[in-house]
Amino acid sequence: MKRMPVRAGRPTIIDVATEAGVSRQTVSRVVTNHPRVAPATRVRVEKAIATLGYRPNRMARALVTQTSLTFGFAAIDMRDPHFGDTCFGMQVAAREHGYYLVVTELDFDDDRGLGTLETLLTLGVDGVALFPSILSDSDIEQFAASCGCPVVMIGRASKVPNVVSIAMDENAAAELVVDHLVERGKKRIGILMNEIFPEVVHQRYVALREAISNGTAVATAAVEAGYPRIAQGRIAATTFLQRGPDLDALIGFNDTMAMGALLACDDLGLRVPQDVAIVGYDGIPFGALTNPPLTTIVQDSIGMADAAFRSLLSCLEHGPPPEGKVLLWEPELLIRGSS
Amino acid sequence: MKRMPVRAGRPTIIDVATEAGVSRQTVSRVVTNHPRVAPATRVRVEKAIATLGYRPNRMARALVTQTSLTFGFAAIDMRDPHFGDTCFGMQVAAREHGYYLVVTELDFDDDRGLGTLETLLTLGVDGVALFPSILSDSDIEQFAASCGCPVVMIGRASKVPNVVSIAMDENAAAELVVDHLVERGKKRIGILMNEIFPEVVHQRYVALREAISNGTAVATAAVEAGYPRIAQGRIAATTFLQRGPDLDALIGFNDTMAMGALLACDDLGLRVPQDVAIVGYDGIPFGALTNPPLTTIVQDSIGMADAAFRSLLSCLEHGPPPEGKVLLWEPELLIRGSS
DNA sequence: TGATACGATGTCAACGCTCACACTAGGGTG
DNA sequence: CACCCTAGTGTGAGCGTTGACATCGTATCA
């Protein structure tokens, strides 16, 4: 398979040096803003750069400096607005600091995504921010130990050595949700969750069960394989409601699943919130438009993304936290029509 | 600003060569699946690779081969599900072929995004897929001429030299939309568009006006600066409906804007679709959940993304189309409750 | 048995860049 | 005036990898 030469004809530092009549090192100094360059020379070099349209090759630079100004960002499905918003937040922060993001979807078939992460490393990223999803804490620990760059995980609060973990306070969130539902007179609360996120689900599930056990309501769980998109949530909720013990409230693992539940209620002729109250997690913007609008636990995706970026930067400067570090975010309950 | 060494201690090809007692070239041959390696040697090298956890450095490789197995993907705001879905589609195709995606948001402040694209090139991407958004055809033409790699644009049908353009047939779409609205008895159709996408908006706008002129309806346009998210659509639609000539239908530039219009109607006490019918473009999944559900022109984002990826690959193999090339996609009208 | 071929491996240079160091010229110091 | 210092510049090496070529040993053939 022959290929046309890629990036053909892009001028190199040598071309600029020749054009400006200096050595490549001088050009390098100009490009990297080194102070020891005579003003006249600097001008000459800058003119040559402009003339030739020169842009330094960041791969070559990275090879020498061992720094690519590139971070990896990995999540299970960017189509989910929660991940998308987080990705956006990291983009914004990255741009501000001259960084680029290599974005990748974690592929379950590929050793739970570890293979994809490993390959990501070969691109020379300076750090990795990821939603652990299906990866366990020990997976993450092992990855962080061998990858040779800072690792930040978003969405699960775990003290993993050398890893910064950014997550919402699940206990506070669960309390907000359950208190709210109990206040609304709901007694039989179902938890609509997905077994493919054992650890996240576990944290959220445990928190919810605990919160519920303080009240009078009954908890149950429904699970459904496959990434939780609207359709999956609809199927899971339908099954759940049909065989469930007369549920009067449903808590979705995320807004997308909760939206599926909204559709399921519609399918089954159940009124929301009178017959079944529905609450989601994440606070994606589209939740404001559903019928009825979705009550949800709002996560500050952009803020968390920004923190993730800053944490990576900080790890690069001061090293990663040896015993791990957890940044906890306060949840906010946004009450709308669905509850 | 001192930094910790990045990717510290990752084994190199030399380490593997030493471990296996061969030269680095032999290791390279094993890694790249070169046929001329003795089976016994191959096994020995593979064992060394496994032992050390070696992964070839793709930057170093790219420096030599001039091929990074990396594509750039640029859009104006990944939070819009249409862009997000397209990004996802490219991810899937990329993964299948061992490619990675460098994803970037185009920043308007930065020379309409051209600066961002230029920087993207310094990362050594083998090709770029982008939503042109604010960039004109001649911007794209110039970029394609100087970037030294294949360029694919998505979302605008334009014959730009050396560029593959992937877009929906706007005329067919406009006809579907307008015919449908006329059939519903609508006579005064408003077009809710955004002036920051002059070229895309232009194509869609011209197509819609033309379609409308065939019927009896009246067309108007409302514009609003800023990227079209729900909130912007709401504001624009509100202004539009308040001062507009008794509109009985509103066509949104995309689903997000149409959703804003839905909220605006709610604000103004207008019934949808009785008082005002609303139609969007894109067919994002969340449109199924609005109140009422959104009628929309469905674009096959995943399919178009796949085509974009394949086009980049094809350009690498056979060179880009000198006079440009347009791949047109058939739109589909999904009629739901909002019209 | 010697020439030939070929399979298997190694060596060298290069990709584009930066780091460490060496060098030059001019200015200040004693 | 010999000395050192410093600003400004150039040189060589090397980052981790692969392409081109050279080399070696062994099997094949006349």
Side-chain angles (χ1 to χ4, degrees):
Chain A
M1 200 156 72
K2 244 189 66 190
R3 314 213 135 181
M4 73 182 254
V6 174
R7 293 184 297 289
R10 288 227 131 209
T12 76
I13 203 170
I14 304 252
D15 299 322
V16 177
T18 311
E19 170 83 13
V22 296
S23 73
R24 52 186 204 286
Q25 185 57 26
T26 302
V27 177
S28 173
R29 287 197 185 96
V30 170
V31 170
T32 56
N33 267 316
H34 190 98
R36 297 250 176 107
V37 180
T41 313
R42 167 158 275 138
V43 170
R44 207 143 36 94
V45 170
E46 274 163 354
K47 221 167 71 185
I49 288 175
T51 306
L52 298 173
Y54 168 76
R55 290 269 187 177
N57 180 325
R58 312 219 316 185
M59 291 192 304
R61 179 182 284 173
L63 210 52
V64 178
T65 60
Q66 301 284 48
T67 299
S68 64
L69 295 184
T70 284
F71 283 145
F73 181 79
I76 184 171
D77 188 340
M78 297 301 165
R79 288 176 299 178
D80 189 305
H82 177 53
F83 298 142
D85 288 358
T86 310
C87 182
F88 177 83
M90 282 212 57
Q91 288 282 4
V92 171
R95 186 68 42 77
E96 232 169 74
H97 293 258
Y99 272 76
Y100 268 80
L101 243 48
V102 180
V103 175
T104 185
E105 236 96 21
L106 289 177
D107 187 354
F108 287 162
D109 302 337
D110 184 11
D111 198 11
R112 281 162 299 153
L114 281 176
T116 306
L117 287 177
E118 266 294 324
T119 314
L120 185 61
L121 292 176
T122 66
L123 289 171
V125 294
D126 294 346
V128 176
L130 57 87
F131 282 88
S133 301
I134 205 181
L135 296 167
S136 70
D137 282 355
S138 68
D139 282 334
I140 301 284
E141 177 170 357
Q142 197 179 329
F143 176 70
S146 72
C147 72
C149 69
V151 174
V152 169
M153 66 193 250
I154 312 173
R156 181 156 81 224
S158 292
K159 228 170 156 81
V160 175
N162 298 308
V163 173
V164 177
S165 151
I166 295 177
M168 194 179 56
D169 183 339
E170 289 291 348
N171 292 318
E175 215 163 302
L176 282 172
V177 169
V178 173
D179 284 359
H180 166 67
L181 288 175
V182 168
E183 222 167 76
R184 287 283 197 261
K186 301 299 180 183
K187 304 239 184 274
R188 308 177 73 84
I189 304 175
I191 307 175
L192 195 59
M193 295 217 156
N194 192 304
E195 65 187 354
I196 68 168
F197 295 106
E199 310 257 339
V200 180
V201 166
H202 195 251
Q203 289 197 338
R204 192 162 288 175
Y205 181 67
V206 166
L208 281 169
R209 283 227 58 139
E210 192 155 321
I212 290 172
S213 74
N214 297 338
T216 58
V218 177
T220 331
V223 287
E224 149 78 10
Y227 177 76
R229 306 205 77 214
I230 295 171
Q232 277 82 4
R234 184 184 206 160
I235 296 170
T238 303
T239 318
F240 197 15
L241 287 168
Q242 277 175 335
R243 68 155 188 242
D246 263 342
L247 298 168
D248 56 12
L250 228 41
I251 301 173
F253 164 71
N254 62 12
D255 285 345
T256 324
M257 285 206 102
M259 286 179 179
L262 240 31
L263 291 176
C265 287
D266 196 48
D267 293 341
L268 299 171
L270 296 166
R271 291 167 306 161
V272 178
Q274 296 90 334
D275 300 332
V276 180
I278 294 180
V279 180
Y281 273 79
D282 288 350
I284 66 176
F286 300 102
L289 286 123
T290 56
N291 180 27
L294 191 63
T295 294
T296 184
I297 289 286
V298 178
Q299 297 203 52
D300 177 12
S301 329
I302 304 281
M304 290 167 93
D306 194 66
F309 182 85
R310 267 163 230 290
S311 297
L312 284 177
L313 233 44
S314 154
C315 288
L316 283 174
E317 277 166 40
H318 315 110
E323 295 117 43
K325 183 172 161 190
V326 176
L327 300 178
L328 226 47
W329 293 66
E330 281 311 305
E332 187 196 328
L333 178 67
L334 180 54
I335 300 172
R336 291 195 282 222
S338 72
S339 68
Chain B
M1 199 155 75
K2 243 187 69 187
R3 314 212 134 183
M4 74 182 258
V6 174
R7 294 183 297 288
R10 287 229 131 208
T12 76
I13 203 170
I14 305 250
D15 299 323
V16 178
T18 310
E19 171 82 13
V22 296
S23 75
R24 50 185 202 285
Q25 185 57 27
T26 302
V27 177
S28 173
R29 286 196 186 97
V30 170
V31 169
T32 56
N33 266 318
H34 189 98
R36 298 249 176 105
V37 179
T41 314
R42 166 158 277 137
V43 169
R44 207 144 36 93
V45 170
E46 273 163 354
K47 221 167 73 186
I49 289 176
T51 307
L52 298 173
Y54 167 76
R55 289 269 188 176
N57 180 325
R58 313 223 308 187
M59 291 191 304
R61 178 182 285 174
L63 208 53
V64 178
T65 61
Q66 302 282 45
T67 299
S68 65
L69 295 184
T70 286
F71 283 145
F73 181 79
I76 183 171
D77 188 340
M78 297 299 165
R79 289 175 298 177
D80 188 306
H82 177 53
F83 298 143
D85 288 358
T86 310
C87 183
F88 177 83
M90 283 213 55
Q91 288 282 3
V92 172
R95 187 68 44 78
E96 233 170 71
H97 293 258
Y99 272 75
Y100 269 79
L101 244 48
V102 181
V103 176
T104 184
E105 237 96 21
L106 289 177
D107 188 353
F108 288 161
D109 302 337
D110 185 10
D111 198 12
R112 282 163 302 155
L114 281 176
T116 307
L117 287 177
E118 266 295 322
T119 314
L120 185 61
L121 292 176
T122 65
L123 289 171
V125 294
D126 294 346
V128 176
L130 56 87
F131 282 87
S133 301
I134 205 181
L135 296 167
S136 71
D137 282 355
S138 68
D139 282 335
I140 302 283
E141 177 170 357
Q142 197 180 329
F143 176 70
S146 72
C147 72
C149 68
V151 174
V152 169
M153 67 193 250
I154 311 175
R156 180 156 82 225
S158 292
K159 226 169 156 86
V160 175
N162 298 308
V163 173
V164 177
S165 151
I166 294 177
M168 195 178 57
D169 182 338
E170 289 290 348
N171 293 317
E175 214 162 303
L176 282 173
V177 169
V178 173
D179 284 358
H180 167 66
L181 288 175
V182 168
E183 222 167 77
R184 287 283 199 259
K186 300 300 180 184
K187 304 240 183 273
R188 309 177 72 83
I189 305 175
I191 308 174
L192 196 59
M193 294 216 157
N194 192 303
E195 66 187 353
I196 67 169
F197 296 106
E199 310 257 340
V200 181
V201 166
H202 194 252
Q203 290 198 336
R204 191 162 289 176
Y205 181 67
V206 167
L208 281 169
R209 281 222 67 135
E210 192 155 323
I212 290 171
S213 75
N214 296 338
T216 58
V218 176
T220 330
V223 286
E224 149 79 10
Y227 177 75
R229 306 204 77 213
I230 295 171
Q232 277 82 3
R234 185 186 206 157
I235 296 171
T238 303
T239 319
F240 198 14
L241 288 167
Q242 277 175 337
R243 68 153 187 245
D246 263 341
L247 299 168
D248 57 12
L250 228 41
I251 302 172
F253 163 72
N254 62 11
D255 286 345
T256 326
M257 286 206 101
M259 286 179 178
L262 241 31
L263 291 176
C265 287
D266 197 48
D267 295 341
L268 299 171
L270 295 166
R271 291 167 307 159
V272 178
Q274 295 90 333
D275 300 332
V276 180
I278 294 181
V279 180
Y281 273 80
D282 287 351
I284 66 176
F286 299 103
L289 286 123
T290 56
N291 180 26
L294 192 63
T295 294
T296 184
I297 289 286
V298 178
Q299 296 203 52
D300 177 12
S301 330
I302 304 282
M304 291 167 92
D306 195 67
F309 183 85
R310 266 163 231 291
S311 297
L312 285 177
L313 232 44
S314 153
C315 288
L316 284 175
E317 279 167 39
H318 316 110
E323 295 116 44
K325 183 172 160 190
V326 177
L327 300 179
L328 225 49
W329 292 66
E330 280 311 304
E332 187 195 328
L333 178 68
L334 181 53
I335 300 172
R336 291 195 283 222
S338 72
S339 66

PDB file of all heavy atoms in Angstrom, chain B residues 216-229:
ATOM      1  N   THR B 216     -46.854  28.828  -0.890  1.00  0.00           N
ATOM      2  CA  THR B 216     -47.564  30.080  -0.654  1.00  0.00           C
ATOM      3  C   THR B 216     -47.047  30.781   0.594  1.00  0.00           C
ATOM      4  O   THR B 216     -47.502  31.857   0.928  1.00  0.00           O
ATOM      5  CB  THR B 216     -49.064  29.810  -0.456  1.00  0.00           C
ATOM      6  OG1 THR B 216     -49.213  28.912   0.644  1.00  0.00           O
ATOM      7  CG2 THR B 216     -49.660  29.191  -1.713  1.00  0.00           C
ATOM      8  N   ALA B 217     -46.113  30.143   1.258  1.00  0.00           N
ATOM      9  CA  ALA B 217     -45.688  30.668   2.556  1.00  0.00           C
ATOM     10  C   ALA B 217     -44.717  31.830   2.441  1.00  0.00           C
ATOM     11  O   ALA B 217     -44.096  32.056   1.413  1.00  0.00           O
ATOM     12  CB  ALA B 217     -45.067  29.553   3.377  1.00  0.00           C
ATOM     13  N   VAL B 218     -44.600  32.556   3.512  1.00  0.00           N
ATOM     14  CA  VAL B 218     -43.690  33.703   3.583  1.00  0.00           C
ATOM     15  C   VAL B 218     -42.464  33.333   4.400  1.00  0.00           C
ATOM     16  O   VAL B 218     -42.578  32.680   5.429  1.00  0.00           O
ATOM     17  CB  VAL B 218     -44.393  34.897   4.261  1.00  0.00           C
ATOM     18  CG1 VAL B 218     -43.432  36.055   4.423  1.00  0.00           C
ATOM     19  CG2 VAL B 218     -45.626  35.305   3.466  1.00  0.00           C
ATOM     20  N   ALA B 219     -41.312  33.731   3.950  1.00  0.00           N
ATOM     21  CA  ALA B 219     -40.100  33.408   4.689  1.00  0.00           C
ATOM     22  C   ALA B 219     -39.474  34.627   5.331  1.00  0.00           C
ATOM     23  O   ALA B 219     -39.527  35.719   4.789  1.00  0.00           O
ATOM     24  CB  ALA B 219     -39.090  32.761   3.753  1.00  0.00           C
ATOM     25  N   THR B 220     -38.925  34.438   6.488  1.00  0.00           N
ATOM     26  CA  THR B 220     -38.182  35.497   7.169  1.00  0.00           C
ATOM     27  C   THR B 220     -36.979  34.842   7.836  1.00  0.00           C
ATOM     28  O   THR B 220     -36.908  33.635   7.942  1.00  0.00           O
ATOM     29  CB  THR B 220     -39.041  36.174   8.250  1.00  0.00           C
ATOM     30  OG1 THR B 220     -40.391  36.115   7.852  1.00  0.00           O
ATOM     31  CG2 THR B 220     -38.614  37.612   8.451  1.00  0.00           C
ATOM     32  N   ALA B 221     -36.059  35.633   8.306  1.00  0.00           N
ATOM     33  CA  ALA B 221     -34.909  35.051   8.984  1.00  0.00           C
ATOM     34  C   ALA B 221     -34.590  35.796  10.264  1.00  0.00           C
ATOM     35  O   ALA B 221     -34.718  37.008  10.324  1.00  0.00           O
ATOM     36  CB  ALA B 221     -33.698  35.062   8.065  1.00  0.00           C
ATOM     37  N   ALA B 222     -34.231  35.073  11.265  1.00  0.00           N
ATOM     38  CA  ALA B 222     -33.767  35.705  12.494  1.00  0.00           C
ATOM     39  C   ALA B 222     -32.354  35.232  12.747  1.00  0.00           C
ATOM     40  O   ALA B 222     -32.049  34.063  12.562  1.00  0.00           O
ATOM     41  CB  ALA B 222     -34.645  35.306  13.670  1.00  0.00           C
ATOM     42  N   VAL B 223     -31.518  36.143  13.139  1.00  0.00           N
ATOM     43  CA  VAL B 223     -30.158  35.736  13.437  1.00  0.00           C
ATOM     44  C   VAL B 223     -29.773  36.204  14.823  1.00  0.00           C
ATOM     45  O   VAL B 223     -30.327  37.139  15.360  1.00  0.00           O
ATOM     46  CB  VAL B 223     -29.161  36.298  12.404  1.00  0.00           C
ATOM     47  CG1 VAL B 223     -29.295  35.557  11.104  1.00  0.00           C
ATOM     48  CG2 VAL B 223     -29.381  37.777  12.204  1.00  0.00           C
ATOM     49  N   GLU B 224     -28.801  35.559  15.337  1.00  0.00           N
ATOM     50  CA  GLU B 224     -28.381  35.804  16.719  1.00  0.00           C
ATOM     51  C   GLU B 224     -26.927  35.374  16.825  1.00  0.00           C
ATOM     52  O   GLU B 224     -26.561  34.269  16.420  1.00  0.00           O
ATOM     53  CB  GLU B 224     -29.286  34.978  17.646  1.00  0.00           C
ATOM     54  CG  GLU B 224     -28.677  34.489  18.908  1.00  0.00           C
ATOM     55  CD  GLU B 224     -28.625  35.590  19.951  1.00  0.00           C
ATOM     56  OE1 GLU B 224     -29.229  36.658  19.732  1.00  0.00           O
ATOM     57  OE2 GLU B 224     -27.956  35.390  20.964  1.00  0.00           O
ATOM     58  N   ALA B 225     -26.102  36.232  17.347  1.00  0.00           N
ATOM     59  CA  ALA B 225     -24.680  35.894  17.428  1.00  0.00           C
ATOM     60  C   ALA B 225     -24.424  34.870  18.526  1.00  0.00           C
ATOM     61  O   ALA B 225     -25.232  34.694  19.424  1.00  0.00           O
ATOM     62  CB  ALA B 225     -23.866  37.152  17.685  1.00  0.00           C
ATOM     63  N   GLY B 226     -23.299  34.202  18.448  1.00  0.00           N
ATOM     64  CA  GLY B 226     -22.939  33.213  19.453  1.00  0.00           C
ATOM     65  C   GLY B 226     -23.272  31.825  18.958  1.00  0.00           C
ATOM     66  O   GLY B 226     -24.156  31.634  18.136  1.00  0.00           O
ATOM     67  N   TYR B 227     -22.562  30.826  19.468  1.00  0.00           N
ATOM     68  CA  TYR B 227     -22.803  29.487  18.982  1.00  0.00           C
ATOM     69  C   TYR B 227     -24.199  29.031  19.361  1.00  0.00           C
ATOM     70  O   TYR B 227     -24.654  29.211  20.481  1.00  0.00           O
ATOM     71  CB  TYR B 227     -21.786  28.484  19.520  1.00  0.00           C
ATOM     72  CG  TYR B 227     -22.146  27.116  19.029  1.00  0.00           C
ATOM     73  CD1 TYR B 227     -21.888  26.769  17.716  1.00  0.00           C
ATOM     74  CD2 TYR B 227     -22.838  26.224  19.838  1.00  0.00           C
ATOM     75  CE1 TYR B 227     -22.296  25.549  17.227  1.00  0.00           C
ATOM     76  CE2 TYR B 227     -23.240  25.001  19.351  1.00  0.00           C
ATOM     77  CZ  TYR B 227     -22.966  24.669  18.041  1.00  0.00           C
ATOM     78  OH  TYR B 227     -23.382  23.472  17.555  1.00  0.00           O
ATOM     79  N   PRO B 228     -24.933  28.434  18.409  1.00  0.00           N
ATOM     80  CA  PRO B 228     -26.316  28.050  18.648  1.00  0.00           C
ATOM     81  C   PRO B 228     -26.469  26.922  19.643  1.00  0.00           C
ATOM     82  O   PRO B 228     -26.421  25.765  19.274  1.00  0.00           O
ATOM     83  CB  PRO B 228     -26.809  27.637  17.262  1.00  0.00           C
ATOM     84  CG  PRO B 228     -25.592  27.256  16.512  1.00  0.00           C
ATOM     85  CD  PRO B 228     -24.505  28.128  17.046  1.00  0.00           C
ATOM     86  N   ARG B 229     -26.649  27.259  20.882  1.00  0.00           N
ATOM     87  CA  ARG B 229     -27.035  26.248  21.857  1.00  0.00           C
ATOM     88  C   ARG B 229     -28.494  26.543  22.227  1.00  0.00           C
ATOM     89  O   ARG B 229     -29.100  27.471  21.701  1.00  0.00           O
ATOM     90  CB  ARG B 229     -26.124  26.322  23.078  1.00  0.00           C
ATOM     91  CG  ARG B 229     -24.639  26.239  22.691  1.00  0.00           C
ATOM     92  CD  ARG B 229     -23.810  25.728  23.827  1.00  0.00           C
ATOM     93  NE  ARG B 229     -23.969  24.291  23.936  1.00  0.00           N
ATOM     94  CZ  ARG B 229     -23.943  23.615  25.094  1.00  0.00           C
ATOM     95  NH1 ARG B 229     -23.781  24.260  26.221  1.00  0.00           N
ATOM     96  NH2 ARG B 229     -24.100  22.306  25.121  1.00  0.00           N
TER      97      ARG B 229
END
